Amino acid sequence: MPPLPPGSRQPAFLQTIQMRDPVRYFETLRRRHGPVFRMKLLGFPPQVVVSNAELANRIYATDGDGSRAGALRAGYVPWVGEHSLLTNDGEEWWRHRKLLSPTLHGRSIAGYPDMIAEIAAQDIRTWPLGTPFALREHMQAITLEVTLRLVFGVADPHQGARLRAALMALSKASGSPALFLTPARLRSWAEKSPLAARLPFLPTTRAMQAAKAVDHVLFDEISRRRNEQDDEATDVLGRLVRARDDEGQPMSDQEIRDELLTLLEAGLETTATGLSWTFERLMRNPEVLGRLQEELERGEEEVYLDAVIKESLRSRPVIFGMGRLLDKPLRLAEYEIPAGWVAIPMFSLILQDSTVYPDPEEFRPERFLGDNTKAAQKSFLPFGGGRRYCVGAQLATMEMKVITREVLRHVRLTAVDPAPEAQRMWHATLVPGRQAVAVAHEQPLERRPSAEPATCPVHQAPAEQGS
Ligand code: HEM
């Protein structure tokens, strides 16, 4: 009988505490135990972690027959609902994947860049010049506005302000590490218990209340869009209202609501964080920034910009790993992992594999250019893999490119402190420890885009806020 992989002998609660700094903890375990090791976190099934792409692909090969991804994300059900792509497996997952994918790919999003650039430009014009500020907050504001317009299709400013306020409250409430690390059973009790519902300081209670407020606005919006019957609508909600499955059946209001919240939950923080890291890295690598500026000024095909975005997601992956619950035993190298365990391709290790990415701590977009591309691309897994590969990867990459370009057209950014920002855990993501703090400076005249009024779609006029 093949052995189990090596791993920490510490009790589960001590291993769980180490998750305050997951990147360092995983790196320590990899150094100590090799490319496959096991872990035990409080309240979760036993886990096996792999740190290279070859082993990750063995895990992805079990997708659909041998493992489940949705079961592991059951903790999201209270706010994304029962019909979410994130939390489902099997036929329901497949039905939804087929309905949702076309709304986020190819021609469906081809018309978005101009609108994204306009949203970004409006926010950038409100940035302070010459004083430090947290870039991440602005990236969150811009990506939220993009989601409101391109996913939810909100055009009415009053409805937009209501939804914006409710979504921000939900993002804050559902993003706390306390909630993420609460064992599933305790969470499930707290979410259903009338006693817990009366304790507003509990993270579960705060998240449930925030989700209810969002529902109120969303069901209104779905019903309005059904009545409108606009066949030309290009936003995701408009497309979902028109979508039909293989049996010709439309999605119910509840299914659409669940998928809209899924896109928000999976797409908002991730893209904002990816952008924050891109600027955090660019500010600390002036040569890369200079080469990128030159490419953007020449107005050529954005090959280097594409490599910068990839290198940013490689060197600072937004999500450190995403696992599969094994339904059957799985052979990984010389080990056999039993059914019931969780197998995790750990992106934060795979993307630092020095056999694929020499000097992995260096920020070097050239890895993704010319002859190097093939090898670098093979291990490039910040969006996961297999059948559950991120459905929003194309949209996220395009959004990151457009917003990065727009920021660099408007301002010159410098870091307040040359030391890199630490990778801190926030929800399932790794965010810059100081929120990507930056100082913005005016661009020289010749680089500045034409002046337009400084109105911000996100920080609305006081009368509209909270209405
Ligand atoms: C930089 C931004 C993003 C990153 C790094 C990211 C990363 C990921 C990762 C690692 C997964 C898990 C894949 C797996 O299990 O193998 C995932 C799944 C998912 N992502 Fe993203 N994502 C990003 C942006 C987005 C956006 C913009 C959307 C939608 C608008 C989105 C929607 C989803 C959904 C719905 C899933 C679940 C797919 C399924 O299980 O079938 N993501 N993402």
Side-chain angles (χ1 to χ4, degrees):
M1 171 92 177
L4 286 173
S8 169
R9 286 164 190 239
Q10 285 185 326
F13 87 93
L14 282 182
Q15 295 191 45
T16 309
I17 289 173
Q18 314 262 15
M19 289 295 288
R20 275 175 312 179
D21 187 352
V23 175
R24 188 178 306 176
Y25 184 49
F26 301 142
E27 184 50 43
T28 309
L29 292 177
R30 190 199 58 80
R31 238 181 294 122
R32 205 172 287 161
H33 302 295
V36 188
F37 56 85
R38 59 174 205 265
M39 260 178 23
K40 181 80 185 85
L41 299 182
L42 220 50
F44 294 93
Q47 301 173 333
V48 60
V49 169
V50 304
S51 64
N52 67 47
E54 196 189 321
L55 291 166
N57 286 326
R58 288 197 53 78
I59 298 175
Y60 292 136
T62 65
D63 274 354
D65 179 27
S67 75
R68 284 167 290 149
L72 288 177
R73 304 172 191 154
Y76 290 104
V77 169
W79 42 93
V80 297
E82 305 277 342
H83 306 285
S84 162
L85 202 58
L86 271 180
T87 56
N88 268 305
D89 291 298
E91 279 182 22
E92 165 123 23
W93 167 78
W94 185 226
R95 173 174 179 265
H96 276 237
R97 182 95 190 186
K98 283 193 284 181
L99 286 164
L100 211 59
S101 280
T103 70
L104 297 167
H105 289 123
R107 265 189 299 166
S108 298
I109 61 168
Y112 289 179
D114 286 350
M115 209 186 289
I116 295 173
E118 190 190 309
I119 291 168
Q122 284 191 35
D123 191 84
I124 297 162
R125 287 193 203 100
T126 68
W127 292 7
L129 292 176
T131 48
F133 70 106
L135 261 178
R136 182 160 169 260
E137 280 175 18
H138 285 272
M139 293 305 124
Q140 287 169 314
I142 293 171
T143 50
L144 174 59
E145 199 57 32
V146 169
T147 306
L148 283 180
R149 293 238 216 122
L150 304 184
V151 177
F152 293 68
V154 175
D156 171 42
H158 176 69
Q159 189 74 335
R162 269 179 79 199
L163 192 52
R164 190 177 297 115
L167 290 176
M168 280 170 113
L170 177 62
S171 169
K172 203 167 158 204
S174 66
S176 91
L179 195 65
F180 182 63
L181 288 175
T182 306
R185 262 196 233 153
L186 187 59
R187 260 173 81 161
S188 163
W189 170 82
E191 280 149 11
K192 287 180 203 129
S193 152
L195 173 68
R198 274 188 263 129
L199 304 174
F201 56 85
L202 288 181
T204 38
T205 310
R206 279 205 299 269
M208 298 294 289
Q209 285 172 346
K212 264 191 203 144
V214 169
D215 273 6
H216 218 71
V217 193
L218 275 190
F219 280 119
D220 266 8
E221 192 61 22
I222 295 169
S223 136
R224 188 182 67 76
R225 299 294 291 276
R226 280 211 198 276
N227 294 336
E228 226 172 57
Q229 293 191 344
D230 179 359
D231 288 343
E232 306 293 314
T234 55
D235 58 285
V236 176
L237 170 53
R239 291 179 196 273
L240 288 182
V241 165
R242 295 198 299 270
R244 297 291 179 268
D245 66 14
D246 294 345
E247 265 78 56
Q249 293 304 312
M251 294 172 88
S252 68
D253 284 5
Q254 186 67 48
E255 284 179 308
I256 293 181
R257 174 267 179 213
D258 288 0
E259 290 303 12
L260 289 179
L261 273 195
T262 297
L263 298 183
L264 178 87
E265 185 69 37
L268 200 63
E269 274 300 321
T270 44
T271 312
T273 303
L275 279 159
S276 306
W277 279 122
T278 302
F279 293 114
E280 191 274 351
R281 292 290 75 207
L282 283 173
M283 287 187 288
R284 285 164 181 83
N285 291 277
E287 278 171 30
V288 175
L289 181 56
R291 182 169 173 187
L292 179 58
Q293 284 278 16
E294 277 168 28
E295 180 188 81
L296 296 179
E297 277 161 36
R298 284 198 304 271
E300 291 167 358
E301 216 189 322
E302 293 167 343
V303 182
Y304 197 64
L305 175 59
D306 190 66
V308 165
I309 298 300
K310 284 189 175 135
E311 177 64 352
S312 166
L313 290 166
R314 180 204 70 80
S315 64
R316 295 293 186 272
V318 173
I319 294 179
F320 50 81
M322 198 67 94
R324 303 289 187 265
L325 180 62
L326 299 178
D327 290 328
K328 298 178 187 169
L330 173 68
R331 190 72 193 247
L332 284 175
E334 64 267 40
Y335 310 111
E336 178 147 307
I337 318 304
W341 281 46
V342 178
I344 310 177
M346 195 59 75
F347 313 137
S348 63
L349 295 174
I350 297 167
L351 296 165
Q352 294 285 315
D353 183 346
S354 60
T355 61
V356 184
Y357 306 109
D359 304 317
E361 65 294 342
E362 284 185 19
F363 187 68
R364 216 187 273 164
E366 288 71 13
R367 300 177 204 278
F368 292 97
L369 293 178
D371 294 345
N372 304 327
T373 320
K374 216 169 164 192
Q377 197 70 42
K378 246 178 149 179
S379 293
F380 184 65
L381 299 174
F383 293 107
R387 286 176 20 130
R388 306 297 291 241
Y389 179 75
C390 173
V391 75
Q394 205 181 336
L395 174 63
T397 310
M398 181 260 275
E399 214 176 316
M400 286 178 70
K401 280 166 54 173
V402 172
I403 296 170
T404 303
R405 186 207 305 132
E406 211 51 35
V407 168
L408 299 184
R409 282 179 71 221
H410 282 79
V411 287
R412 187 170 57 81
L413 293 175
T414 53
V416 177
D417 178 352
E421 294 199 20
Q423 300 180 74
R424 295 247 183 282
M425 191 165 133
W426 173 250
H427 208 194
T429 59
L430 292 169
V431 302
R434 279 171 283 134
Q435 311 291 306
V437 63
V439 179
H441 309 269
E442 233 175 320
Q443 281 286 24
L445 258 182
E446 66 273 16
R447 283 189 188 165
R448 249 179 265 164
S450 59
E452 280 162 53
T455 53
C456 171
V458 178
H459 305 104
Q460 292 291 318
E464 262 180 50
Q465 270 175 358
S467 54

